[in-house]
Amino acid sequence: MGKKSIMRMLLTLSISQICYMFIVVMMFGLGVFFLGETEIIISPNAISQNVEIIKEEALDNTLEEMDIPAYIEYAKLSDSGNYINGSIQDEELIQEVCEKGKINQLRFMNGTTYELIGNSSEKWVLGYKSATSQFSNDFLRSVFPSADLTIISCFLIAVITGFLVILKVYRNRLSKELNKITNIQNTILSDDREISELSSPLKEVNDILIILSEMEKTVKESTKKQLKQAQLLENSIQSLTHDIQTPATVVSGNLELLEETNMDVNQKEYVKYAQDGISKISEYVEELKTLSKLEQPKTEYVHFNEKYVDNLILLANQIARLKNVTVSVK
């Protein structure tokens, strides 16, 4: 199966968002159509038609309060303009409508028109919103005065929420692939896991993993060479310190024998200088051992050739003779 590029992934993201947008528009369109057909939402056109019917009934003196829908406000007045009853109880508003005949209280997508309708026997003040849809349910209308604004708000919330969910899904996918690169350090330093086992469906990430796989091989080969060189260096330092320390011990023993002989002041001073030099050499040898970590807690068996062993026996006898000790080799 071919690898996908990050650009193709972004293109898929865009197509997914467009498809989601189309689905949301279709669902909301069908939903609004259903709400309008079932009269759960009253359109501005339907409100205007009902207002015209009520106006005609008011002029014909056949209007009854029960004929006025709940989404239309009203106030019933006597022929002299006195308030009788109704859902509009603001006296200043009623007086202003009576004086002007018609006023508009403009608000964002929720303006209300108040109009005076009447005949010789009675008058009516009607208040209606003809610029926006209304919910027919009293509770919904009290909570959401504008059905259009409510639908638009729900539509925007659905679109934004869906886009964020889609973005999160693709972000998680991309993060999962990029984490393979960010965690590559532990993989390189680990001996039980190979980078070559890692792969990614994204072409760019997979190419990086291939390059890092080659780097892993180079790093591990270089590490092995460095360890081998370090081991050789350690062995060399170990041999060097041994070769230095053994003659230094012999010299130190001979100096101790000289101290037991009759020497003048200058000779004793020269012997002391020599002993100080041997002490310095011993200190340097110990520092070399510490730096190279030569002291191993475990016992190692080493095979020497015969000549090397004879030299060791000779040096041991020289050191032992200084302390009146007999060395025997079995």
Side-chain angles (χ1 to χ4, degrees):
M1 183 180 295
K3 302 293 184 180
K4 297 180 180 179
S5 64
I6 294 180
M7 185 62 70
R8 182 179 175 184
M9 184 179 182
L10 295 176
L11 179 61
T12 305
L13 169 62
S14 301
I15 294 175
S16 299
Q17 290 178 332
I18 293 173
C19 292
Y20 174 77
M21 185 71 174
F22 176 77
I23 293 173
V24 172
V25 170
M26 291 295 296
M27 290 180 62
F28 268 82
L30 293 174
V32 171
F33 177 78
F34 172 78
L35 294 175
E37 289 296 315
T38 55
E39 296 187 353
I40 296 176
I41 291 179
I42 310 300
S43 66
N45 187 40
I47 293 174
S48 299
Q49 291 178 358
N50 289 333
V51 168
E52 293 300 323
I53 294 174
I54 292 172
K55 286 181 182 179
E56 292 178 2
E57 292 179 353
L59 293 174
D60 294 339
N61 202 21
T62 58
L63 179 61
E64 300 291 339
E65 294 180 24
M66 64 181 64
D67 297 331
I68 302 176
Y71 53 83
I72 298 178
E73 300 178 86
Y74 72 95
K76 186 176 181 180
L77 308 176
S78 63
D79 57 349
S80 60
N82 295 325
Y83 181 80
I84 299 176
N85 58 19
S87 58
I88 302 176
Q89 299 180 355
D90 189 342
E91 295 181 359
E92 294 182 359
L93 175 63
I94 294 174
Q95 184 177 358
E96 183 179 0
V97 174
C98 291
E99 291 175 355
K100 297 181 179 180
K102 185 177 182 180
I103 63 173
N104 292 313
Q105 290 186 344
L106 299 178
R107 296 177 184 176
F108 177 70
M109 294 188 69
N110 196 23
T112 304
T113 300
Y114 292 94
E115 187 174 356
L116 178 64
I117 307 296
N119 50 41
S120 59
S121 61
E122 61 183 9
K123 297 179 181 179
W124 296 84
V125 175
L126 302 179
Y128 52 91
K129 299 178 177 64
S130 58
T132 181
S133 300
Q134 296 282 302
F135 286 104
S136 58
N137 182 271
D138 295 340
F139 174 76
L140 292 177
R141 190 171 57 255
S142 63
V143 176
F144 307 106
S146 172
D148 291 338
L149 184 59
T150 302
I151 293 173
I152 292 173
S153 300
C154 292
F155 174 79
L156 292 176
I157 292 173
V159 170
I160 294 173
T161 302
F163 279 9
L164 291 177
V165 171
I166 295 173
L167 285 174
K168 184 177 181 180
V169 171
Y170 279 84
R171 181 183 67 84
N172 291 340
R173 290 182 183 177
L174 185 58
S175 297
K176 180 181 178 181
E177 301 305 322
L178 294 179
N179 284 338
K180 294 178 181 180
I181 299 176
T182 57
N183 296 331
I184 214 68
Q185 179 179 359
N186 295 332
T187 308
I188 293 178
L189 299 177
S190 176
D191 294 332
D192 57 352
R193 187 180 179 189
E194 299 291 335
I195 297 180
S196 55
E197 297 176 359
L198 300 176
S199 62
S200 172
L202 297 179
K203 182 180 181 300
E204 292 83 356
V205 176
N206 195 69
D207 291 342
I208 294 175
L209 291 176
I210 293 174
I211 295 173
L212 291 175
S213 178
E214 297 298 326
M215 291 177 59
E216 176 215 20
K217 295 178 182 178
T218 304
V219 169
K220 289 189 175 181
E221 289 177 359
S222 176
T223 303
K224 288 179 181 179
K225 290 181 180 179
Q226 291 178 357
L227 289 175
K228 186 176 180 180
Q229 291 175 355
Q231 187 62 42
L232 290 174
L233 178 61
E234 182 177 340
N235 293 337
S236 299
I237 293 176
Q238 185 177 10
S239 300
L240 177 62
T241 54
H242 180 271
D243 293 342
I244 294 175
Q245 195 170 23
T246 301
T249 304
V250 174
V251 173
S252 178
N254 290 324
L255 291 174
E256 290 179 1
L257 291 175
L258 284 175
E259 286 182 336
E260 297 178 359
T261 62
N262 295 325
M263 294 184 296
D264 56 24
V265 176
N266 291 334
Q267 289 175 334
K268 289 182 180 180
E269 186 176 358
Y270 296 152
V271 170
K272 185 178 182 304
Y273 290 156
Q275 288 176 336
D276 291 341
I278 295 299
S279 298
K280 288 291 184 182
I281 292 174
S282 298
E283 291 178 3
Y284 296 152
V285 170
E286 293 300 323
E287 289 181 3
L288 282 174
K289 287 182 178 181
T290 302
L291 291 175
S292 60
K293 298 180 181 179
L294 296 177
E295 297 181 359
Q296 300 293 336
K298 61 182 181 179
T299 302
E300 295 183 359
Y301 295 93
V302 182
H303 296 281
F304 298 104
N305 57 38
E306 186 175 347
K307 184 177 179 181
Y308 188 83
V309 173
D310 291 338
N311 290 332
L312 287 177
I313 295 173
L314 178 61
L315 290 173
N317 287 325
Q318 292 177 355
I319 296 171
R321 193 179 302 115
L322 297 175
K323 301 296 183 179
N324 296 322
V325 177
T326 302
V327 177
S328 61
V329 181
K330 296 181 180 181

